[in-house]
Amino acid sequence: MPVYRLDGITPVIDPTAFVHPTAVLIGDVIIGPGCYVGPNASLRGDFGRLILEKGSNLQDNCVMHGFPDSDTVVEEDGHIGHGAVLHGCRIGRNALVGMNAVVMDAAHIGAESIVAAGSFVKAGFSCEPRSLVMGTPAVVKRTIGDDEVKWKSSTTAQYQQLTRRCLATLEECEALTAVEADRPRLKTGDIKPKGM
């Protein structure tokens, strides 16, 4: 994977984390234990520090960046959906940021909260734990219930398992030219999208 030292500061990746080979890490980036970083994620620690805490995931095409002297942090078990942008913000423990959402500078998303897909969280925004945050600009719509926290935690556990699967079995290969007659299916659990 492309990893770049900048001004003498080298990214750190815990050996139990998985960072996809197409992700890019620059400068002051710290990836904690059991984290997953997906394909084409960009972690530009060229101004501020970027931290993924234990068990968090940053999925495909996500961007993390920040202003000088800022920290952009995804706390333990944080879950960042495909294409999300985090800039100088803090995502609380076991919180979820949905696909293509943007969370701006000095925003703080409370623990076990959910930022809906496509939302825009303005700079300086803050919410209590277990908030459902949605809209452009995003506002708190309601409190998250126990069943929603359980669902979120189970999806994050799937990404933690994916980290272990990728470390153990992901390998670059040549594509087949035809589908095998007895092609197996992946056995990855029974997590379904919310509402299905």
Side-chain angles (χ1 to χ4, degrees):
M1 86 206 61
V3 175
Y4 300 95
R5 178 181 299 114
L6 181 66
D7 295 336
I9 299 177
T10 304
V12 175
I13 303 171
D14 186 277
T16 63
F18 173 77
V19 179
H20 192 274
T22 61
V24 178
L25 282 61
I26 300 169
D28 198 359
V29 176
I30 302 168
I31 309 292
C35 290
Y36 173 89
V37 177
N40 300 312
S42 175
L43 293 90
R44 277 185 49 212
D46 49 13
F47 291 118
R49 178 169 290 171
L50 311 179
I51 302 169
L52 292 180
E53 292 185 357
K54 180 181 176 183
S56 60
N57 66 76
L58 185 78
Q59 298 171 21
D60 320 49
N61 301 313
C62 288
V63 175
M64 283 182 78
H65 194 240
F67 282 117
D69 298 321
S70 69
D71 287 353
T72 305
V73 180
V74 179
E75 294 182 13
E76 186 171 345
D77 296 332
H79 190 104
I80 312 303
H82 315 292
V85 177
L86 307 180
H87 202 277
C89 58
R90 178 172 285 271
I91 308 303
R93 183 190 54 76
N94 203 29
L96 180 149
V97 175
M99 293 182 247
N100 291 314
V102 176
V103 185
M104 292 299 295
D105 301 277
H108 182 259
I109 303 301
E112 299 183 330
S113 292
I114 295 175
V115 177
S119 295
F120 178 79
V121 178
K122 295 192 313 186
F125 175 91
S126 183
C127 66
E128 296 295 320
R130 291 195 168 198
S131 295
L132 175 61
V133 178
M134 54 192 319
T136 303
V139 297
V140 175
K141 293 291 189 177
R142 62 175 174 81
T143 301
I144 297 293
D146 291 343
D147 60 330
E148 292 166 305
V149 172
K150 183 178 177 182
W151 171 82
K152 185 273 166 203
S153 296
S154 65
T155 60
T156 299
Q158 288 291 308
Y159 270 89
Q160 292 164 346
Q161 177 61 29
L162 179 59
T163 296
R164 295 185 290 274
R165 288 171 53 215
C166 287
L167 288 171
T169 69
L170 184 73
E171 57 186 324
E172 191 168 356
C173 64
E174 295 293 324
L176 300 174
T177 58
V179 177
E180 314 96 297
D182 59 347
R183 185 174 179 88
R185 285 198 168 269
L186 295 170
K187 301 204 182 329
T188 58
D190 59 358
I191 300 300
K192 303 285 186 223
K194 192 75 177 147
M196 290 186 74

